[in-house]
Amino acid sequence: MAMKSTIPSRLLPRDGRFGSGPSKVRAAQVQAVADANPTVLGTSHRQAPVRGLVGDVRRLLAELYRLPDGYEVLLSNGGASFVWDAAAFGLIRDKAQLAAFGEFGSKFAASVCAAPHLDEPTVHRAAPGSIAVPVLEAGVDTYAWPHNETSTGACAPVHRVGEASEALIVVDGTSAAGAIELDPTQVDFYYFAPQKSFASDGGLWFALTSPAAVERIEHIAASGRYVPASLSLADAVTHSRADQTLNTPAITTLIMMRAQLEWMLDQGGLAAMAARSAASSTAIYEWAESRDFTSPFVAHRAHRSPVVVTVDLSDDVDSSQLQAILRAHGIVDVFAYRKLGRNQVRIGVFPAVATADVEALLACIDWVVDHR
Ligand SMILES: *Cc1c(COP(=O)(O)O)cnc(C)c1O
């Protein structure tokens, strides 16, 4: 592909951010940060303004998910990746079963395999682009899998495994939360970070937590098992209930998250957000099926993510050259997951991304390919 390409400006999207996380932040969220100066920014996280902010985020998340009685919202520092280690210390009793079909699910499985105090977990694996699902198994006390595998764009169902099972269901909702509908009664610990659909910054994790999960956390904490303080879920329960965190949280992240949650609820809540992402992703899948240089990476339609869309390119269209041309025009972060190593584009269509901008992106790709 020639690098001289200049895409006509009439084709360009208004906002060129299509990353899979961190992802597009809306201007109103940045304004909310400016508006929080000097009343919230730069003030103590142990006092009312910041505690009120944490409380708002917890309450708004409960509202967005219509959490059943007894469910609560936990948060702590570290981001979603820290939950894998925290869960190995404080949520899994002895034996877990995990499903891994991409980078993020595999990392959780690796954390559990490495934990010396746990039994060897059962891990169901599937090739990138497909999904693996949990299977009822005697002796398993925790089932865990990602809702949306951000590295591949494959999406798995979330439901309990076995009707009467007392095992906990622990689901990584990092790129699904806020964009894919969920029945919270089907899960005990649904965790995510704020830099994807919540259009905020990284560094925190949140979890929608059932009473059974809190009971497990408290039981393990009382058992005498060694748990590093910074990874203690029991501590996260105590601090979250007081609208606090163990150590200082990123206040701007919380401010942007609250602004995004207010916008989401104002626009019609989770169903409306899911519809926004579905409109954008459907436009991309239809485009990818109608061009001769593209094909959706996830073959099975039911497994195609509505938020992170992966599209393989034919050999004569070089993804890195295409990305370089797009980036020169302010269209960024449509690269394939680095370790996947495919000639691919991966497009994050979280609710903040406008479908009109997605359509413009597709027109720009068509233009670049036509003008090779
Ligand atoms: C982004 C992502 C993570 C990692 O989140 P961090 O906050 O960077 O730790 C984990 N799981 C999934 C599914 C993700 O999309």
Short mmCIF file of all heavy atoms in Angstrom, two decimals, residues 280-321:
data_model
loop_
_atom_site.label_atom_id
_atom_site.label_comp_id
_atom_site.label_asym_id
_atom_site.label_seq_id
_atom_site.Cartn_x
_atom_site.Cartn_y
_atom_site.Cartn_z
N SER A 280 -23.28 -0.23 16.26
CA SER A 280 -21.94 -0.01 15.70
C SER A 280 -21.31 -1.32 15.24
O SER A 280 -20.73 -1.41 14.15
CB SER A 280 -21.04 0.64 16.75
OG SER A 280 -21.52 1.92 17.09
N SER A 281 -21.40 -2.35 16.09
CA SER A 281 -20.73 -3.60 15.73
C SER A 281 -21.43 -4.28 14.55
O SER A 281 -20.77 -4.85 13.68
CB SER A 281 -20.64 -4.54 16.93
OG SER A 281 -21.88 -4.69 17.57
N THR A 282 -22.76 -4.19 14.49
CA THR A 282 -23.48 -4.78 13.35
C THR A 282 -23.02 -4.12 12.05
O THR A 282 -22.81 -4.81 11.04
CB THR A 282 -25.00 -4.62 13.55
OG1 THR A 282 -25.36 -5.28 14.76
CG2 THR A 282 -25.79 -5.21 12.40
N ALA A 283 -22.85 -2.80 12.09
CA ALA A 283 -22.39 -2.10 10.88
C ALA A 283 -21.04 -2.66 10.43
O ALA A 283 -20.80 -2.87 9.23
CB ALA A 283 -22.28 -0.60 11.16
N ILE A 284 -20.15 -2.95 11.39
CA ILE A 284 -18.82 -3.46 11.01
C ILE A 284 -18.90 -4.89 10.49
O ILE A 284 -18.30 -5.23 9.47
CB ILE A 284 -17.83 -3.39 12.19
CG1 ILE A 284 -17.77 -1.96 12.76
CG2 ILE A 284 -16.42 -3.82 11.74
CD1 ILE A 284 -16.96 -1.85 14.05
N TYR A 285 -19.65 -5.74 11.18
CA TYR A 285 -19.74 -7.14 10.72
C TYR A 285 -20.36 -7.20 9.32
O TYR A 285 -19.92 -7.98 8.47
CB TYR A 285 -20.55 -7.99 11.71
CG TYR A 285 -19.80 -8.25 13.01
CD1 TYR A 285 -20.33 -7.84 14.24
CD2 TYR A 285 -18.56 -8.90 13.02
CE1 TYR A 285 -19.65 -8.08 15.44
CE2 TYR A 285 -17.87 -9.13 14.21
CZ TYR A 285 -18.43 -8.71 15.41
OH TYR A 285 -17.73 -8.95 16.58
N GLU A 286 -21.39 -6.39 9.08
CA GLU A 286 -22.02 -6.41 7.74
C GLU A 286 -21.03 -5.93 6.68
O GLU A 286 -20.95 -6.50 5.59
CB GLU A 286 -23.29 -5.55 7.74
CG GLU A 286 -24.43 -6.28 8.47
CD GLU A 286 -25.71 -5.46 8.58
OE1 GLU A 286 -25.70 -4.26 8.19
OE2 GLU A 286 -26.70 -6.02 9.07
N TRP A 287 -20.29 -4.90 7.02
CA TRP A 287 -19.25 -4.40 6.10
C TRP A 287 -18.21 -5.49 5.84
O TRP A 287 -17.85 -5.77 4.70
CB TRP A 287 -18.62 -3.16 6.75
CG TRP A 287 -17.35 -2.65 6.13
CD1 TRP A 287 -17.23 -1.83 5.05
CD2 TRP A 287 -16.01 -2.91 6.60
NE1 TRP A 287 -15.91 -1.57 4.82
CE2 TRP A 287 -15.14 -2.21 5.75
CE3 TRP A 287 -15.48 -3.66 7.66
CZ2 TRP A 287 -13.76 -2.24 5.92
CZ3 TRP A 287 -14.11 -3.69 7.82
CH2 TRP A 287 -13.26 -2.98 6.96
N ALA A 288 -17.76 -6.15 6.93
CA ALA A 288 -16.70 -7.16 6.79
C ALA A 288 -17.15 -8.34 5.96
O ALA A 288 -16.34 -9.00 5.30
CB ALA A 288 -16.24 -7.62 8.17
N GLU A 289 -18.46 -8.62 5.99
CA GLU A 289 -18.97 -9.74 5.19
C GLU A 289 -19.20 -9.35 3.74
O GLU A 289 -19.38 -10.22 2.88
CB GLU A 289 -20.26 -10.29 5.83
CG GLU A 289 -19.92 -11.15 7.04
CD GLU A 289 -21.14 -11.68 7.78
OE1 GLU A 289 -22.21 -11.03 7.70
OE2 GLU A 289 -21.01 -12.73 8.42
N SER A 290 -19.23 -8.05 3.46
CA SER A 290 -19.58 -7.62 2.10
C SER A 290 -18.37 -7.18 1.28
O SER A 290 -18.50 -6.89 0.09
CB SER A 290 -20.59 -6.47 2.18
OG SER A 290 -19.93 -5.32 2.69
N ARG A 291 -17.21 -7.11 1.87
CA ARG A 291 -16.01 -6.71 1.12
C ARG A 291 -15.19 -7.95 0.80
O ARG A 291 -15.18 -8.91 1.58
CB ARG A 291 -15.13 -5.75 1.95
CG ARG A 291 -15.81 -4.44 2.34
CD ARG A 291 -16.11 -3.59 1.11
NE ARG A 291 -16.69 -2.30 1.46
CZ ARG A 291 -17.99 -2.06 1.64
NH1 ARG A 291 -18.87 -3.04 1.51
NH2 ARG A 291 -18.43 -0.84 1.93
N ASP A 292 -14.43 -7.88 -0.32
CA ASP A 292 -13.65 -9.08 -0.64
C ASP A 292 -12.30 -9.11 0.08
O ASP A 292 -11.60 -10.11 0.07
CB ASP A 292 -13.48 -9.25 -2.16
CG ASP A 292 -12.85 -8.04 -2.81
OD1 ASP A 292 -12.37 -7.15 -2.05
OD2 ASP A 292 -12.84 -7.95 -4.05
N PHE A 293 -11.93 -8.01 0.75
CA PHE A 293 -10.65 -8.00 1.47
C PHE A 293 -10.81 -8.18 2.97
O PHE A 293 -9.84 -8.06 3.73
CB PHE A 293 -9.87 -6.70 1.16
CG PHE A 293 -10.52 -5.44 1.65
CD1 PHE A 293 -10.17 -4.87 2.87
CD2 PHE A 293 -11.51 -4.81 0.90
CE1 PHE A 293 -10.78 -3.71 3.33
CE2 PHE A 293 -12.12 -3.66 1.36
CZ PHE A 293 -11.76 -3.10 2.57
N THR A 294 -12.02 -8.45 3.44
CA THR A 294 -12.26 -8.57 4.88
C THR A 294 -13.07 -9.83 5.20
O THR A 294 -13.87 -10.28 4.38
CB THR A 294 -13.10 -7.38 5.40
OG1 THR A 294 -14.26 -7.27 4.58
CG2 THR A 294 -12.34 -6.09 5.41
N SER A 295 -12.87 -10.36 6.41
CA SER A 295 -13.77 -11.38 6.93
C SER A 295 -13.75 -11.31 8.45
O SER A 295 -12.69 -11.10 9.06
CB SER A 295 -13.37 -12.77 6.44
OG SER A 295 -12.02 -13.01 6.73
N PRO A 296 -14.91 -11.44 9.08
CA PRO A 296 -14.93 -11.42 10.55
C PRO A 296 -14.05 -12.55 11.09
O PRO A 296 -14.10 -13.68 10.59
CB PRO A 296 -16.41 -11.66 10.89
CG PRO A 296 -17.16 -11.24 9.67
CD PRO A 296 -16.26 -11.59 8.51
N PHE A 297 -13.22 -12.21 12.10
CA PHE A 297 -12.31 -13.22 12.66
C PHE A 297 -13.09 -14.29 13.42
O PHE A 297 -12.77 -15.48 13.36
CB PHE A 297 -11.32 -12.51 13.59
CG PHE A 297 -10.42 -13.43 14.37
CD1 PHE A 297 -9.71 -14.46 13.75
CD2 PHE A 297 -10.26 -13.27 15.74
CE1 PHE A 297 -8.88 -15.31 14.47
CE2 PHE A 297 -9.43 -14.10 16.48
CZ PHE A 297 -8.74 -15.13 15.84
N VAL A 298 -14.12 -13.89 14.15
CA VAL A 298 -14.91 -14.85 14.92
C VAL A 298 -15.95 -15.48 13.99
O VAL A 298 -16.88 -14.81 13.54
CB VAL A 298 -15.58 -14.17 16.14
CG1 VAL A 298 -16.44 -15.16 16.92
CG2 VAL A 298 -14.51 -13.55 17.04
N ALA A 299 -15.75 -16.76 13.69
CA ALA A 299 -16.56 -17.40 12.65
C ALA A 299 -18.01 -17.57 13.09
O ALA A 299 -18.95 -17.32 12.32
CB ALA A 299 -15.95 -18.76 12.29
N HIS A 300 -18.20 -17.98 14.33
CA HIS A 300 -19.54 -18.30 14.82
C HIS A 300 -20.27 -17.00 15.20
O HIS A 300 -19.83 -16.29 16.11
CB HIS A 300 -19.39 -19.22 16.04
CG HIS A 300 -20.61 -19.95 16.41
ND1 HIS A 300 -21.85 -19.38 16.45
CD2 HIS A 300 -20.79 -21.25 16.77
CE1 HIS A 300 -22.75 -20.28 16.83
NE2 HIS A 300 -22.13 -21.43 17.01
N ARG A 301 -21.37 -16.71 14.50
CA ARG A 301 -22.06 -15.42 14.72
C ARG A 301 -22.41 -15.19 16.19
O ARG A 301 -22.28 -14.09 16.70
CB ARG A 301 -23.34 -15.36 13.89
CG ARG A 301 -23.10 -15.00 12.47
CD ARG A 301 -24.36 -14.41 11.82
NE ARG A 301 -24.01 -13.85 10.53
CZ ARG A 301 -23.79 -14.58 9.45
NH1 ARG A 301 -23.89 -15.90 9.50
NH2 ARG A 301 -23.45 -14.00 8.31
N ALA A 302 -22.87 -16.24 16.87
CA ALA A 302 -23.33 -16.07 18.26
C ALA A 302 -22.17 -15.71 19.19
O ALA A 302 -22.41 -15.23 20.30
CB ALA A 302 -24.00 -17.35 18.74
N HIS A 303 -20.94 -15.94 18.76
CA HIS A 303 -19.80 -15.64 19.62
C HIS A 303 -19.15 -14.29 19.29
O HIS A 303 -18.16 -13.92 19.91
CB HIS A 303 -18.74 -16.74 19.51
CG HIS A 303 -19.25 -18.10 19.87
ND1 HIS A 303 -18.66 -19.26 19.46
CD2 HIS A 303 -20.34 -18.47 20.61
CE1 HIS A 303 -19.34 -20.30 19.92
NE2 HIS A 303 -20.37 -19.84 20.62
N ARG A 304 -19.70 -13.60 18.29
CA ARG A 304 -19.09 -12.32 17.89
C ARG A 304 -19.41 -11.24 18.90
O ARG A 304 -20.57 -11.01 19.23
CB ARG A 304 -19.61 -11.91 16.51
CG ARG A 304 -19.01 -12.74 15.41
CD ARG A 304 -19.50 -12.31 14.04
NE ARG A 304 -19.02 -13.27 13.04
CZ ARG A 304 -19.48 -13.36 11.81
NH1 ARG A 304 -20.45 -12.55 11.39
NH2 ARG A 304 -18.99 -14.26 10.99
N SER A 305 -18.37 -10.57 19.35
CA SER A 305 -18.54 -9.53 20.36
C SER A 305 -19.28 -8.33 19.80
O SER A 305 -18.95 -7.85 18.71
CB SER A 305 -17.18 -9.08 20.87
OG SER A 305 -17.34 -7.92 21.65
N PRO A 306 -20.24 -7.79 20.56
CA PRO A 306 -20.88 -6.54 20.15
C PRO A 306 -20.08 -5.29 20.54
O PRO A 306 -20.49 -4.18 20.23
CB PRO A 306 -22.22 -6.57 20.90
CG PRO A 306 -21.96 -7.39 22.11
CD PRO A 306 -20.86 -8.38 21.76
N VAL A 307 -18.93 -5.46 21.21
CA VAL A 307 -18.15 -4.29 21.63
C VAL A 307 -16.72 -4.23 21.09
O VAL A 307 -16.18 -3.14 20.95
CB VAL A 307 -18.06 -4.14 23.17
CG1 VAL A 307 -19.26 -3.43 23.72
CG2 VAL A 307 -17.83 -5.46 23.85
N VAL A 308 -16.14 -5.38 20.84
CA VAL A 308 -14.77 -5.41 20.31
C VAL A 308 -14.81 -6.26 19.05
O VAL A 308 -14.96 -7.48 19.12
CB VAL A 308 -13.77 -5.99 21.34
CG1 VAL A 308 -12.38 -6.11 20.71
CG2 VAL A 308 -13.71 -5.13 22.59
N VAL A 309 -14.71 -5.60 17.90
CA VAL A 309 -14.93 -6.29 16.64
C VAL A 309 -13.59 -6.55 15.96
O VAL A 309 -12.82 -5.62 15.71
CB VAL A 309 -15.84 -5.45 15.71
CG1 VAL A 309 -16.10 -6.19 14.41
CG2 VAL A 309 -17.15 -5.13 16.42
N THR A 310 -13.32 -7.82 15.66
CA THR A 310 -12.06 -8.18 15.01
C THR A 310 -12.34 -8.61 13.57
O THR A 310 -13.22 -9.43 13.32
CB THR A 310 -11.37 -9.32 15.78
OG1 THR A 310 -12.34 -10.33 16.08
CG2 THR A 310 -10.76 -8.82 17.07
N VAL A 311 -11.58 -8.03 12.65
CA VAL A 311 -11.80 -8.28 11.23
C VAL A 311 -10.46 -8.64 10.60
O VAL A 311 -9.51 -7.85 10.64
CB VAL A 311 -12.39 -7.03 10.54
CG1 VAL A 311 -12.54 -7.26 9.03
CG2 VAL A 311 -13.73 -6.65 11.16
N ASP A 312 -10.38 -9.82 10.02
CA ASP A 312 -9.17 -10.23 9.30
C ASP A 312 -9.12 -9.53 7.95
O ASP A 312 -10.15 -9.35 7.29
CB ASP A 312 -9.18 -11.75 9.07
CG ASP A 312 -8.71 -12.51 10.30
OD1 ASP A 312 -8.11 -11.89 11.20
OD2 ASP A 312 -8.96 -13.73 10.35
N LEU A 313 -7.90 -9.19 7.54
CA LEU A 313 -7.70 -8.55 6.24
C LEU A 313 -7.02 -9.54 5.31
O LEU A 313 -6.25 -10.40 5.76
CB LEU A 313 -6.82 -7.31 6.40
CG LEU A 313 -7.34 -6.24 7.36
CD1 LEU A 313 -6.33 -5.10 7.50
CD2 LEU A 313 -8.69 -5.69 6.90
N SER A 314 -7.30 -9.43 4.02
CA SER A 314 -6.63 -10.32 3.06
C SER A 314 -5.15 -9.94 2.97
O SER A 314 -4.74 -8.84 3.36
CB SER A 314 -7.31 -10.23 1.70
OG SER A 314 -7.26 -8.91 1.24
N ASP A 315 -4.35 -10.87 2.45
CA ASP A 315 -2.89 -10.69 2.45
C ASP A 315 -2.44 -9.44 1.70
O ASP A 315 -1.38 -8.88 2.00
CB ASP A 315 -2.22 -11.91 1.79
CG ASP A 315 -2.34 -13.14 2.68
OD1 ASP A 315 -2.70 -12.97 3.87
OD2 ASP A 315 -2.12 -14.26 2.18
N ASP A 316 -3.23 -9.00 0.73
CA ASP A 316 -2.81 -7.84 -0.06
C ASP A 316 -3.14 -6.51 0.62
O ASP A 316 -2.87 -5.45 0.07
CB ASP A 316 -3.41 -7.91 -1.47
CG ASP A 316 -4.91 -8.03 -1.44
OD1 ASP A 316 -5.46 -8.59 -0.44
OD2 ASP A 316 -5.58 -7.57 -2.38
N VAL A 317 -3.75 -6.57 1.80
CA VAL A 317 -3.99 -5.34 2.57
C VAL A 317 -3.22 -5.47 3.88
O VAL A 317 -3.55 -6.29 4.73
CB VAL A 317 -5.50 -5.14 2.86
CG1 VAL A 317 -5.72 -3.89 3.70
CG2 VAL A 317 -6.29 -5.07 1.56
N ASP A 318 -2.17 -4.68 3.99
CA ASP A 318 -1.30 -4.82 5.17
C ASP A 318 -1.85 -3.98 6.32
O ASP A 318 -1.93 -2.76 6.24
CB ASP A 318 0.12 -4.37 4.80
CG ASP A 318 1.05 -4.53 5.98
OD1 ASP A 318 1.60 -5.64 6.13
OD2 ASP A 318 1.20 -3.58 6.76
N SER A 319 -2.18 -4.67 7.39
CA SER A 319 -2.82 -3.98 8.52
C SER A 319 -1.94 -2.88 9.11
O SER A 319 -2.44 -1.79 9.43
CB SER A 319 -3.17 -5.00 9.61
OG SER A 319 -3.59 -4.34 10.76
N SER A 320 -0.64 -3.13 9.21
CA SER A 320 0.18 -2.08 9.85
C SER A 320 0.29 -0.84 8.96
O SER A 320 0.29 0.29 9.47
CB SER A 320 1.55 -2.60 10.28
OG SER A 320 2.09 -3.39 9.29
N GLN A 321 0.33 -1.04 7.64
CA GLN A 321 0.35 0.13 6.75
C GLN A 321 -0.97 0.89 6.81
O GLN A 321 -1.01 2.12 6.84
CB GLN A 321 0.65 -0.30 5.32
CG GLN A 321 2.12 -0.65 5.12
CD GLN A 321 2.42 -0.98 3.66
OE1 GLN A 321 1.79 -0.44 2.75
NE2 GLN A 321 3.36 -1.86 3.44
#
